[in-house]
mmCIF file of all heavy atoms in Angstrom:
data_model
loop_
_atom_site.group_PDB
_atom_site.id
_atom_site.type_symbol
_atom_site.label_atom_id
_atom_site.label_comp_id
_atom_site.label_asym_id
_atom_site.label_seq_id
_atom_site.Cartn_x
_atom_site.Cartn_y
_atom_site.Cartn_z
ATOM 1 N N HIS A 1238 10.173 7.083 12.424
ATOM 2 C CA HIS A 1238 10.985 7.465 13.580
ATOM 3 C C HIS A 1238 11.306 8.959 13.555
ATOM 4 O O HIS A 1238 11.347 9.562 12.477
ATOM 5 C CB HIS A 1238 12.284 6.671 13.584
ATOM 6 C CG HIS A 1238 12.054 5.189 13.704
ATOM 7 N ND1 HIS A 1238 11.584 4.600 14.853
ATOM 8 C CD2 HIS A 1238 12.195 4.200 12.801
ATOM 9 C CE1 HIS A 1238 11.461 3.293 14.647
ATOM 10 N NE2 HIS A 1238 11.812 3.037 13.410
ATOM 11 N N PRO A 1239 11.546 9.562 14.708
ATOM 12 C CA PRO A 1239 11.861 10.991 14.744
ATOM 13 C C PRO A 1239 13.115 11.325 13.938
ATOM 14 O O PRO A 1239 13.959 10.466 13.686
ATOM 15 C CB PRO A 1239 12.115 11.259 16.224
ATOM 16 C CG PRO A 1239 11.433 10.146 16.948
ATOM 17 C CD PRO A 1239 11.529 8.964 16.031
ATOM 18 N N VAL A 1240 13.193 12.593 13.547
ATOM 19 C CA VAL A 1240 14.387 13.140 12.887
ATOM 20 C C VAL A 1240 14.858 14.263 13.807
ATOM 21 O O VAL A 1240 14.135 15.219 14.043
ATOM 22 C CB VAL A 1240 14.068 13.698 11.496
ATOM 23 C CG1 VAL A 1240 15.307 14.318 10.877
ATOM 24 C CG2 VAL A 1240 13.487 12.600 10.608
ATOM 25 N N LEU A 1241 16.055 14.115 14.374
ATOM 26 C CA LEU A 1241 16.593 15.099 15.308
ATOM 27 C C LEU A 1241 18.059 15.385 14.975
ATOM 28 O O LEU A 1241 18.869 14.476 14.887
ATOM 29 C CB LEU A 1241 16.492 14.575 16.751
ATOM 30 C CG LEU A 1241 15.052 14.429 17.229
ATOM 31 C CD1 LEU A 1241 14.922 13.256 18.168
ATOM 32 C CD2 LEU A 1241 14.609 15.696 17.903
ATOM 33 N N GLY A 1242 18.355 16.664 14.807
ATOM 34 C CA GLY A 1242 19.726 17.078 14.576
ATOM 35 C C GLY A 1242 19.864 18.035 13.426
ATOM 36 O O GLY A 1242 18.890 18.385 12.754
ATOM 37 N N ALA A 1243 21.088 18.464 13.187
ATOM 38 C CA ALA A 1243 21.378 19.410 12.115
ATOM 39 C C ALA A 1243 21.450 18.670 10.777
ATOM 40 O O ALA A 1243 22.095 17.634 10.682
ATOM 41 C CB ALA A 1243 22.675 20.129 12.385
ATOM 42 N N PRO A 1244 20.790 19.210 9.754
ATOM 43 C CA PRO A 1244 20.913 18.592 8.424
ATOM 44 C C PRO A 1244 22.357 18.733 7.914
ATOM 45 O O PRO A 1244 23.033 19.702 8.251
ATOM 46 C CB PRO A 1244 19.951 19.393 7.545
ATOM 47 C CG PRO A 1244 19.189 20.269 8.445
ATOM 48 C CD PRO A 1244 19.910 20.367 9.736
ATOM 49 N N GLU A 1245 22.785 17.803 7.096
ATOM 50 C CA GLU A 1245 24.140 17.841 6.552
ATOM 51 C C GLU A 1245 24.379 19.162 5.843
ATOM 52 O O GLU A 1245 23.565 19.603 5.020
ATOM 53 C CB GLU A 1245 24.324 16.675 5.592
ATOM 54 C CG GLU A 1245 25.747 16.523 5.133
ATOM 55 C CD GLU A 1245 25.940 15.292 4.260
ATOM 56 O OE1 GLU A 1245 25.138 14.344 4.380
ATOM 57 O OE2 GLU A 1245 26.879 15.309 3.458
ATOM 58 N N GLY A 1246 25.484 19.802 6.172
ATOM 59 C CA GLY A 1246 25.852 21.060 5.536
ATOM 60 C C GLY A 1246 25.114 22.275 6.066
ATOM 61 O O GLY A 1246 25.281 23.379 5.551
ATOM 62 N N MET A 1247 24.294 22.101 7.106
ATOM 63 C CA MET A 1247 23.537 23.226 7.685
ATOM 64 C C MET A 1247 23.660 23.216 9.199
ATOM 65 O O MET A 1247 22.679 23.023 9.910
ATOM 66 C CB MET A 1247 22.075 23.156 7.264
ATOM 67 C CG MET A 1247 21.821 23.274 5.777
ATOM 68 S SD MET A 1247 20.055 23.199 5.390
ATOM 69 C CE MET A 1247 19.507 24.747 6.076
ATOM 70 N N PRO A 1248 24.862 23.420 9.729
ATOM 71 C CA PRO A 1248 25.025 23.343 11.182
ATOM 72 C C PRO A 1248 24.266 24.408 11.963
ATOM 73 O O PRO A 1248 24.039 24.258 13.169
ATOM 74 C CB PRO A 1248 26.541 23.516 11.373
ATOM 75 C CG PRO A 1248 26.991 24.236 10.150
ATOM 76 C CD PRO A 1248 26.078 23.788 9.048
ATOM 77 N N GLU A 1249 23.815 25.462 11.287
ATOM 78 C CA GLU A 1249 23.074 26.525 11.945
ATOM 79 C C GLU A 1249 21.601 26.182 12.123
ATOM 80 O O GLU A 1249 20.850 26.897 12.780
ATOM 81 C CB GLU A 1249 23.220 27.858 11.188
ATOM 82 C CG GLU A 1249 22.492 27.911 9.849
ATOM 83 C CD GLU A 1249 23.176 27.172 8.696
ATOM 84 O OE1 GLU A 1249 24.269 26.574 8.858
ATOM 85 O OE2 GLU A 1249 22.590 27.177 7.606
ATOM 86 N N ALA A 1250 21.155 25.089 11.547
ATOM 87 C CA ALA A 1250 19.768 24.651 11.647
ATOM 88 C C ALA A 1250 19.682 23.393 12.509
ATOM 89 O O ALA A 1250 20.652 22.644 12.641
ATOM 90 C CB ALA A 1250 19.204 24.360 10.259
ATOM 91 N N TYR A 1251 18.534 23.171 13.102
ATOM 92 C CA TYR A 1251 18.309 21.967 13.898
ATOM 93 C C TYR A 1251 16.893 21.485 13.626
ATOM 94 O O TYR A 1251 15.932 22.248 13.777
ATOM 95 C CB TYR A 1251 18.486 22.249 15.396
ATOM 96 C CG TYR A 1251 18.590 20.995 16.221
ATOM 97 C CD1 TYR A 1251 19.832 20.484 16.594
ATOM 98 C CD2 TYR A 1251 17.456 20.296 16.611
ATOM 99 C CE1 TYR A 1251 19.931 19.323 17.356
ATOM 100 C CE2 TYR A 1251 17.553 19.132 17.352
ATOM 101 C CZ TYR A 1251 18.796 18.651 17.714
ATOM 102 O OH TYR A 1251 18.890 17.482 18.450
ATOM 103 N N LEU A 1252 16.758 20.232 13.206
ATOM 104 C CA LEU A 1252 15.444 19.654 12.925
ATOM 105 C C LEU A 1252 14.959 18.856 14.117
ATOM 106 O O LEU A 1252 15.744 18.154 14.759
ATOM 107 C CB LEU A 1252 15.522 18.723 11.707
ATOM 108 C CG LEU A 1252 15.902 19.350 10.375
ATOM 109 C CD1 LEU A 1252 16.052 18.254 9.320
ATOM 110 C CD2 LEU A 1252 14.876 20.369 9.958
#
Side-chain angles (χ1 to χ4, degrees):
H1238 299 290
V1240 177
L1241 294 146
E1245 189 175 335
M1247 297 181 69
E1249 70 283 359
Y1251 194 97
L1252 297 175

